[in-house]
Structure formats: structure tokens, C-alpha cells
């Protein structure tokens, strides 16, 4: 079932989205050489607590997971595409880091992700991140009433494929609202004009994931959570929670 949110409910989701935006900004500011992923997790946790919100990730256990997730953020480094568990690993010069964060406030969820390079960026990594961001912007621009889900998915996939990047077929975005993961699914590739018709009041988490090596395959880590590129190439993951409105897309997790 897909719930259409009222303007008041979308305002409440925006409040949750701001918590996520603040947490991601704080994590990115703290992320530098020598800082551990566990330290970054605590930075996000502190922001979420200070806002009177809760973590959408901590103890979350979807059907595919062998154990509940142990962190407030997913911290994915270099060849990890998504779902990296925060660890004692300390960041190094040139690491490509993807941070995914979710928070709930007054019963409503926000979910967003950013990718960035620690210190001096290799031009190839910088291009990968910039391309993922362009794909996210393209997907958001297509999220308008009357369009189809395939229009959003095709907009995302077109940008990634044009750059020669791989896209993990089994993972993508999702609906969001009273739960972090709701219907419908939001694939990162699709056919324009196909799929569900978008309506005002829908809220979607749009999240491109690209592999620099060009291969779509991935492998699952022993922890049952992290997904790695099979060829060791680097990956980028970006995301925003977006409301579909008659006035155009409203990015619920945009920074202040």
C-alpha cells in the first residue's frame, strides 16, 4: 500500500529530514585522515539524540540481514557499495567514503546519503561522486505528478551508464514515511513511461549506486550486510528523501 502524505505530514517528514541532513553534515565535517568509522557513527548519534530523534538504522533488521544493524550510519569505504558497518577502521588519505543515515522524529522517517573523498581526491573518484550526484538530481527532477516510476529510474540509470559505470540491479531506492522502507521500490534503471504513476503526496528515497569498474555484479561480505564490488573498483552512493508535490519535487533531506 502506498500512503499519500498531506502537506502537514510532509512538513513533519521535512523535520526528520533536517535531522538527517544535520547528521550527515556533522559526519562529513569530522571525516578526516585518522578518524575511525566508529567515531563518525558517534558523531551522527549525537546529532540525532540532540534533536530528540531516533536512529532509523540502529537495530534495524530487514529480511535479508542475518543480524540487526549495529550502527547509526552505514559507513562504506572504497569498494563497499552500501551497508558498511561502522568499525575501528581509520580513514586514510584518498579514501572514498559513502555515509548513509536515517532518523525518525514524531513517527516520520528521513533517509539520505553522501559520498566524498577524504583529503586529496583521485580525479576518477571525484568523477564517480559527481556523476552519482548528477544522477540523483536527474532522478529528483523526474519525480513529478503524472510521470511514471520508470521515468525516475531511467533518469538515474541514463547518467550512470553514459559514464560507463556499473549499477547493482537488486538494490535501489524506496518509498518512505511512517517506516523507513515503504512501497514502492525505486530502481536505478528503468524504461521511461513505464511503471507506477507518480502522485502528489508520495515520498520516495532516490539513491543512485554506481561502480567505477563498469560491472553490475557485487559480493556480500561475511557480516551479511556490506556489499562490495566484485572487481575491487570503487563505488559511490548518494540519496535524498523526496516528496512529490504539485509544485515540483520537495527534497525533504536537503541541508539547511
Amino acid at each position: 500500500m502506498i500512503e499519500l502524505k498531506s502537506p502537514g505530514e510532509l512538513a513533519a517528514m521535512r523535520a526528520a529530514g533536517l535531522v538527517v541532513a544535520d547528521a550527515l553534515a556533522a559526519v562529513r565535517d569530522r571525516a578526516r585522515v585518522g578518524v575511525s568509522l566508529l567515531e563518525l557513527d558517534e558523531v551522527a548519534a549525537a546529532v540525532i539524540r540532540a534533536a530528540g530523534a531516533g536512529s532509523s538504522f540502529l537495530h534495524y533488521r530487514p529480511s535479508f540481514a542475518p543480524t540487526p544493524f549495529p550502527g547509526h550510519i552505514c559507513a562504506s569505504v572504497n569498494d563497499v557499495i552500501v551497508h558498511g558497518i561502522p568499525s575501528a577502521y581509520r580513514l586514510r588519505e584518498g579514501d572514498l567514503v559513502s555515509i548513509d543515515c536515517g532518523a525518525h522524529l514524531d513517527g516520520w522517517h528521513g533517509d539520505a546519503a553522501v559520498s566524498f573523498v577524504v583529503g586529496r581526491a583521485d580525479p576518477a573518484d571525484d568523477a564517480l561522486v559527481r556523476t552519482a550526484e548528477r544522477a540523483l538530481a536527474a532522478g529528483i527532477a523526474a519525480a513529478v505528478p503524472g510521470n511514471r516510476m520508470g521515468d525516475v529510474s531511467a533518469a538515474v540509470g541514463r547518467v550512470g551508464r553514459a559514464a560507463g559505470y556499473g549499477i547493482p540491479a537488486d538494490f535501489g531506492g524506496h518509498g518512505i514515511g511512517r517506516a523507513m522502507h515503504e512501497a514502492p521500490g525505486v530502481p536505478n534503471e528503468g524504461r521511461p513511461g513505464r511503471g507506477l504513476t507518480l502522485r502528489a503526496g508520495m515520498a520516495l528515497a532516490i539513491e543512485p549506486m554506481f561502480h567505477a569498474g563498469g560491472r553490475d555484479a557485487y559480493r556480500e561480505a561475511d557480516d551479511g550486510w556490506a556489499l562490495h564490488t566484485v572487481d575491487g573498483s570503487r563505488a559511490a552512493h548518494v540519496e535524498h528523501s523526496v516528496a512529490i508535490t504539485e509544485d515540483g519535487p520537495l527534497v525533504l533531506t536537503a541541508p539547511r
Side-chain angles (χ1 to χ4, degrees), residues 13-39:
M13 288 189 68
R14 172 60 174 153
L18 282 171
V19 176
V20 173
D22 288 347
L24 287 174
V27 168
R28 186 166 187 166
D29 183 65
R30 184 72 180 89
R32 49 181 72 99
V33 173
V35 174
S36 75
L37 301 182
L38 284 171
E39 289 175 74

Side-chain angles (χ1 to χ4, degrees), residues 3-5 10 144-146 198-203 243-247:
E3 180 184 20
L4 300 181
K5 284 77 172 177
L10 291 178
V144 296
L198 304 182
R199 299 172 60 190
M202 293 174 64
I244 296 168
T245 80
E246 296 293 354
D247 297 323

Side-chain angles (χ1 to χ4, degrees), residues 87-250:
S87 68
Y89 176 83
R90 294 190 177 277
L91 295 173
R92 302 171 183 174
E93 184 79 19
D95 277 345
L96 198 168
V97 183
S98 297
I99 302 293
D100 193 354
C101 182
H104 56 85
L105 181 67
D106 297 329
W108 297 97
H109 289 257
D111 186 11
V114 296
S115 287
F116 55 88
V117 177
V118 176
R120 182 175 299 176
D122 184 292
D125 291 340
D126 189 59
L128 176 61
V129 173
R130 299 289 87 77
T131 302
E133 292 173 343
R134 286 194 293 109
L136 176 57
I140 292 171
V144 296
N147 267 3
R148 299 293 189 104
M149 186 64 73
D151 297 315
V152 175
S153 301
V156 171
R158 190 180 300 118
V159 174
R161 292 301 188 192
Y165 296 140
I167 302 173
D170 302 327
F171 289 85
H174 50 87
I176 188 168
R178 299 179 193 273
M180 180 171 61
H181 289 132
E182 296 184 350
V186 186
N188 282 325
E189 280 197 290
R191 296 179 63 183
R194 299 295 184 92
L196 178 74
T197 299
L198 304 182
R199 299 172 60 190
M202 293 174 64
L204 308 174
I206 302 172
E207 48 181 319
M209 307 167 192
F210 294 158
H211 309 175
R215 299 180 63 182
D216 295 351
Y218 56 85
R219 64 176 180 84
E220 186 179 281
D222 292 340
D223 60 28
W225 277 100
L227 303 181
H228 294 255
T229 60
V230 294
D231 56 5
S233 64
R234 295 196 169 193
H237 169 219
V238 295
E239 177 184 15
H240 270 309
S241 296
V242 181
I244 296 168
T245 80
E246 296 293 354
D247 297 323
L250 172 63

